Amino acid sequence: MSSRRRFLRDFLAGAGLFASAKVLPAQEMETSHGMKDMSMKRNKATAPSEHGAAATVPVQTPDIPDLPFRMDGSVKEFHLVAEPVKQEIVPGRVVDLWGYNGSAPGPTIQVTKGDLVRIIVDNHLPEATSMHWHGFEVPNDMDGAPGSSQDPIAPGGRFVYEFTLNQVGTYFYHSHMAMQEMMGMIGAFIMHPKEAYTPSVDKDFVIVMQEYAILPNISVPNSMNMEFNWLTFNGKSAPATTPLVVRHGERVRIRLINLGMDHHPIHLHGHQFVVTGTEGGRQPESTWGPGNTVLVGVAQSRDVEFVANNPGDWMLHCHLPHHMMNQMSSNVGPLSRRVGMPAGEGMEQGMGMLRGGSATSQENGPSLGRGLGVGSTAGQTMSNSPLKTGTPMQHQHMPGMQMAAPNVSKDANSVPGFPQDAFMEGPMMAMDEMVDKPENYGLRKGWSGFMAGMMTFVRVLPPDKYDQIMRLREKQQGKKLMSDMPGMEHNRE
Ligand SMILES: [Cu+2]
């Protein structure tokens, strides 16, 4: 909020005028980029009232586009296409997910309380799907429950939803077919109030959390598996996640949405926050207690708010240790370590490598996928083994990666338990240049080596550095695949 607006609000509140401020309708503007149809519009902040009521700010969903809309009379019309997507989780790792309009999670929808909304849903998947509006108070035949409230949407089919939304908060849409949920089919649906809450926020972010079991050299998630090795914020694993950039002193809201198989305790460094909302909407201020970790359960959302009063680059991450890693699979060990042989099963069985089809295909179906993949029973027959002294690890050189030697002591192998993180994070995993983008500008050299899984930064920046990053971001035209960067061409499919 500008100091002028804050002054006005405080002044009017003091004069008893704030509560009676006139409500102005949401305004829209043409979007400037990333649009297929230039007649479509994008949500903009509601205008500040002349009487000084604070404006809502549109949410930002780092790494995920907003879904544009068009006005058809008084109806705000959106168009969602359920389809297979190629999602680049980290540089060079392009996986086959199912999502909406080219991304998983799908694009973020933003509406304002009272909006009459129409959503055209097209099914471009090879099987039937459904579209559920999670937590929406809409007529039963608009709920998208397959079989009970409507027939599933056939492949090639369409269903048009229309409802008036009188709720406020962090909601989401998702396929109500369970296996499809595990292929990525969810998106954020933000319902703004007509006027901002007090205290109003200056920045509002959305993070959708997902998890996948995708083994090395396979591009398709094993949706049957219950242990996950790719953990994502907005479809990216760290260090490919885009930091939340805020100006020192701003009030910040972060909306966390979880649709997966695990709960995620999300922890913010350097600040205390309050939980101001759930998947059911705003919580009364009397319930706000300070914390720095919020547990976001499956099918839940949590809004947290804080004043970014502590300058620096602060980690924001899921605190489950295995959710702070990329591509972790116990069975990868014997491939990279010099001593120790897998017992019982060969590598392919042990790692659950699918040679064709999906986990539920005719070929793999008999096991129902339960023996396939990360953490499969076949994988439990081998243990981690010590490294040979002096030859800690032979890594194929990855172009773009910094690959500096890890810092280990001479007698490391004589210490029970070694190695733990020595080869999992640190200098040899750093890839600063591969994930270079304006939002990462000025981070400490080698930062990316310690970032994986569900991690990102809240960067609380002084005005000059903040403005510099905003200028860099404006200059950057369009959205570029990280694998378009020099050195990564060979990884493209
Ligand atoms: Cu987690």
Side-chain angles (χ1 to χ4, degrees), residues 263-264 318 320 323 454:
H263 308 301
H264 303 292
C318 175
L320 283 190
H323 292 183
M454 287 181 164

Side-chain angles (χ1 to χ4, degrees), residues 247-248 441 461-471:
R247 198 193 289 264
H248 182 209
Y441 176 77
L461 302 174
D464 57 329
K465 207 167 172 187
Y466 175 88
D467 291 340
Q468 200 173 3
I469 287 178
M470 291 304 126
R471 277 199 301 275

Side-chain angles (χ1 to χ4, degrees), residues 8 23 34 75 98 107 112 123 157 160 186 189 250 266 308-309 324 329 342 344 394 398 412 432 446 466:
L8 264 175
V23 174
V75 184
W98 290 4
T112 303
N123 181 9
V160 179
I186 181 187
F189 198 121
E250 284 185 321
I266 302 299
N309 55 11
M324 300 162 67
S329 158
Q394 303 258 315
M398 282 278 293
D432 297 3
Y466 175 88

Side-chain angles (χ1 to χ4, degrees), residues 408-416 418-419:
V408 299
S409 69
K410 247 193 227 162
D411 61 348
N413 280 320
S414 67
V415 179
F418 175 82

Side-chain angles (χ1 to χ4, degrees), residues 241-262:
T241 47
T242 297
L244 318 183
V245 181
V246 308
R247 198 193 289 264
H248 182 209
E250 284 185 321
R251 187 175 177 88
V252 179
R253 179 184 298 127
I254 303 174
R255 304 166 186 258
L256 303 154
I257 298 171
N258 176 17
L259 193 67
M261 292 282 292
D262 289 309

